[in-house]
Structure formats: C-alpha cells, structure tokens
Amino acid sequence: MNVLGIIASGVAALFITVALAKSARRVALRPHIPDEPGGRAPRAEALRRTGGATAVLGIGTATGAALWLGAADDAAGSVGGLLAGAVAVAALGLVHDLKPLWAALRLAVQTAAAVLVVCLAGLSPAAGVLAVVWIVLVTNAFALLDHADGLLTAVGLVTAAGLLACAFVGGDPALALLPATLVAGLAGFLLHNWHPARLRLGACGAQFTGFALAASGALIQAAAPSGRTAWAALPALATVALADSALVLISRRRAARSPLRATDDHIAHRLRRVRVTVPGAAVLTALWAGVPVATGALVYAELLHPAFLLLPLAGTAAAVYALLRIPAYDPPRTAPPRTGSSRTATSRATQDRTTTVRRRTEAADAGAAIPAAAPATGVKGSAPGRGAPTGTARTAAGHPTVPPPPNGRPAEAATAAAERG
C-alpha cells in the first residue's frame, strides 16, 4: 500500500467522523426530545453516551473502503480480520451502552474476536495465545480510560500515532492502514469530546479503540523483522492504560472494595482532587502517554537502546505511587460527637428518671407494708352487692373501717372513724 492511499483513507475517516458526530450532536442537543417512559434517562443522554458509534462508523467505513479497493495488498486478510473483530466488539459495546451486559459475556466476545485476528494473521499457537491474552487485556485497559472528557480520545490518538510510525519503520505499510484511520477519526471526534463533552465514546467507541490499538500492536510486532526489539518496544505504547488499571486494582485492594465496582478512583479522578481541571487532566495524561510512546517508537526504529525503556517505566511507577497517596474514597460516616452541654443535659435527664423510679418503688413498698385492719367486735359483713365488698370490716354504726395511714397511728384513725359514725 502506498503512502497516498494511507493519507486518502485518513482524510476520509476524518471527514466521515466529523460529519456523523456533528449530526449526532445536533440531535442530542435538541431541547424537545422527551424522556423515555419508566423513569429512564433522557434520550438525549443516551445519544451522547452512544456518540462513539460515529467514530466507529467513520473509521470502519474508511478502512473497509480501502480494503475493498485493494489498498492492503498481501496483508488484506490480517487487516480485514482486525477490522471485523473490532467492529464485533464495538457492536457489543453499543448494546452495553443501551442495556448493561454481563462482564463474562463481554470477555467472551472480546476473546473470540482476538482469536479471529490471530487465526487470520497466521501466528503460531504459542504466539497466538500470548496475542489473545494481550489483546483482551489492553482492550479493557484502554476502555477504563474513558472516565473523563477527552481523556481516552487524546491517549488513543497519541498511541495510534506511535503505532503508525512503527508500521512505517517496520517495512509493512499495509498494517499502517488502521492506525492511520484511527489517528484521523479520533482527531475528528475529539472536537466533540473535549470538555465540556457533547458526545462520549461510551463502551462502543472505547472498546473499539482499545481493541484496534491492541490488535494493531500485536500484528505489527508479529510482522517485525527478527533483528528489531519489538517485544520490548511495542508493549510500552500501552503504558498509561496499564498503569491506570494497576492503580485501580491496587487502590481497591487496599480499601477492601470489589475490583469490578465502578468508583471514582482513576487517574483523572485523583488529579481532580488536587485541583487539576478536566482539560488539564486530559492534557497531562496525553503527555504522560507520549513519553513511552515516543521512546518505544525510537527503540523500535533502532535509534535508541532498549535500556532507555526503563526510564518511562520507572517514571510511570513513581507516578502510580504518587497517585496512590491521593485519597480517592470518602471516609465512612460516623455519629457526630456529643458536646459538653448535650452530655450535661443527658446526665440530668438520666438522674431525674432514676429519682422518679426510686420514689415510686419506695411508695409501693410502703403501701405493701400497711397491715389490714382487724374487724370490729359485733360487726357483720354486708351482703354481696350492697355497700362495701364482702369481707370488709365495718364499725358499730355499719360504716366501713378506714385503713390506718402510713404514719403508724391506728388509734387515731379508729377514733376518727367512730366519730364519723
């Protein structure tokens, strides 16, 4: 494939992506779009979330047209399988954007697409297994970068540019077709994905981008001349994506959280906690990705010794350590401490309740200790249903006796009862 064909494919991907994204943006920003029934998210938000489909259509259409025109020459099978696998993963991501799917199902589809790429590329069984594991791992690592406006688009743009340079240096320009359309398509989509984002890549665009980058890197490494250190150079292109995944896994492991639970603990989230703006986080992450990408491309071109790859790796490890020290989770909620006045009021209320209970207990004990009055001589109990109850003692005049008061003076009580009689 000649350079003019690659340039033409990139220009086509750029214009198609910009046109589709602009149309989707107009539809998404219409104020009269009603909400979906059942309390679901508005349709405008669903359109913004599935905006990555415009980038997939633009890149896929330009690449497919180039393949149909015979631009890939002998590598048409490999590039065609790569495009087919990426489109399959993107279709599953689009369904996931509309209705969340199980993680096991997504991994199964990604693995099947990676196996298709490996089989059409004609890799050996050992290299094919390593390539499948690498493609699935990097695909999900890049997909996790879609947690801030413009972040994944900028990092994917930088990584695709590095793959494009490696493909040209490796002497197989046909493998540069998809990286070239990726650079152009992501650049066109970045116009609508920059903060404040009008469209988002979503699972559709994120998984397509990650799969295309990972599979392109695997094919370029497999087609590299034997003398080149592709095994050390090309993995460096995914340094930032793998660093973000490692940051999330270590942080959630320390906090005893589920690794599959989405939380605001990624790179951009931690940068936001130290007062870095959203565009600033995207720029810093893109610059961070540019260092290992440039180093890897220079090592692949044999302009630098492979030992230089240790520098960006050491810097990435230091950055991850520094980001881990930034708190990402809110502390658990606890009951507010009691003030001195509230403690005093509580103690007084407790003392009052204790005093009341003690007084009631003493009164009940005093009443139980009062002896019953003995019946007077010659007094008979009244008939049932008349006057006092049966068995009640009465005076000589027929009046019921009054029990002695608690002061212990029964004689005075008897005299008072006789006088009333």
Side-chain angles (χ1 to χ4, degrees):
M1 182 178 183
N2 53 21
V3 179
L4 293 178
I6 295 178
I7 295 176
S9 301
V11 171
L14 175 63
F15 279 101
I16 295 174
T17 302
V18 170
L20 293 177
K22 188 174 182 180
S23 301
R25 176 180 175 178
R26 288 179 178 178
V27 175
L29 294 180
R30 287 181 182 177
H32 60 274
I33 296 181
D35 293 347
E36 294 182 2
R40 298 181 181 179
R43 295 181 182 178
E45 179 60 26
L47 288 173
R48 297 188 187 100
R49 189 171 58 249
T50 58
T54 60
V56 174
L57 290 175
I59 297 170
T61 302
T63 307
L67 290 175
W68 182 67
L69 294 174
D73 299 331
D74 296 336
S78 300
V79 178
L82 196 161
L83 180 61
V87 170
V89 171
L92 183 71
L94 181 61
V95 176
H96 180 70
D97 285 330
L98 300 176
K99 184 178 181 180
L101 301 175
W102 292 345
L105 177 60
R106 287 178 286 163
L107 289 176
V109 174
Q110 293 170 5
T111 304
V115 170
L116 174 64
V117 173
V118 169
C119 292
L120 293 179
L123 300 179
S124 62
V129 172
L130 293 177
V132 168
V133 174
W134 171 258
I135 291 173
V136 174
L137 176 64
V138 175
T139 297
N140 291 278
F142 271 99
L144 290 177
L145 286 178
D146 189 28
H147 57 266
D149 294 346
L151 183 63
L152 175 58
T153 310
V155 174
L157 179 61
V158 173
T159 308
L163 290 172
L164 181 61
C166 292
F168 275 117
V169 172
D172 195 355
L175 296 178
L177 176 59
L178 190 55
T181 54
L182 269 175
V183 170
L186 292 177
F189 188 79
L190 188 60
L191 300 175
H192 306 278
N193 187 235
W194 195 251
H195 182 75
R198 301 298 187 270
L199 296 176
R200 296 170 51 192
L201 280 174
C204 177
Q207 293 186 16
F208 176 85
T209 302
F211 188 91
L213 293 173
S216 297
L219 294 182
I220 293 173
Q221 180 173 356
S226 58
R228 298 188 183 275
T229 56
W231 60 271
L234 290 175
L237 275 64
T239 300
V240 172
L242 296 177
D244 181 72
S245 300
L247 173 68
V248 169
L249 292 177
I250 295 174
S251 178
R252 295 178 185 178
R253 175 66 178 175
R254 288 182 174 181
R257 292 174 175 261
S258 173
L260 301 179
R261 182 181 178 181
T263 315
D264 296 341
D265 53 1
H266 293 269
I267 292 176
H269 298 145
R270 296 173 187 268
L271 292 177
R272 290 288 294 148
R273 288 181 175 267
V274 293
R275 300 184 182 278
V276 178
T277 62
V278 176
V283 171
L284 287 177
T285 310
L287 293 176
W288 179 5
V291 175
V293 166
T295 306
L298 292 175
V299 170
Y300 186 83
E302 298 181 342
L303 298 177
L304 287 179
H305 193 272
F308 281 93
L309 291 172
L310 297 177
L311 296 178
L313 294 180
T316 298
V320 171
Y321 178 76
L323 290 172
L324 283 173
R325 300 181 64 86
I326 300 176
Y329 310 111
D330 295 330
R333 296 181 179 179
T334 56
R338 295 180 178 180
T339 59
S341 58
S342 61
R343 291 180 180 177
T344 304
T346 303
S347 60
R348 289 178 179 176
T350 304
Q351 293 177 0
D352 294 342
R353 286 194 298 269
T354 304
T355 304
T356 303
V357 172
R358 185 174 65 252
R359 289 178 179 177
R360 290 179 180 178
T361 304
E362 292 175 355
D365 294 341
I370 298 175
T377 305
V379 178
K380 296 182 180 180
S382 60
R386 296 180 182 179
T390 305
T392 302
R394 292 178 174 272
T395 60
H399 297 284
T401 59
V402 179
N407 54 11
R409 297 179 180 179
E412 296 180 3
T415 305
E419 292 176 355
R420 285 196 301 269

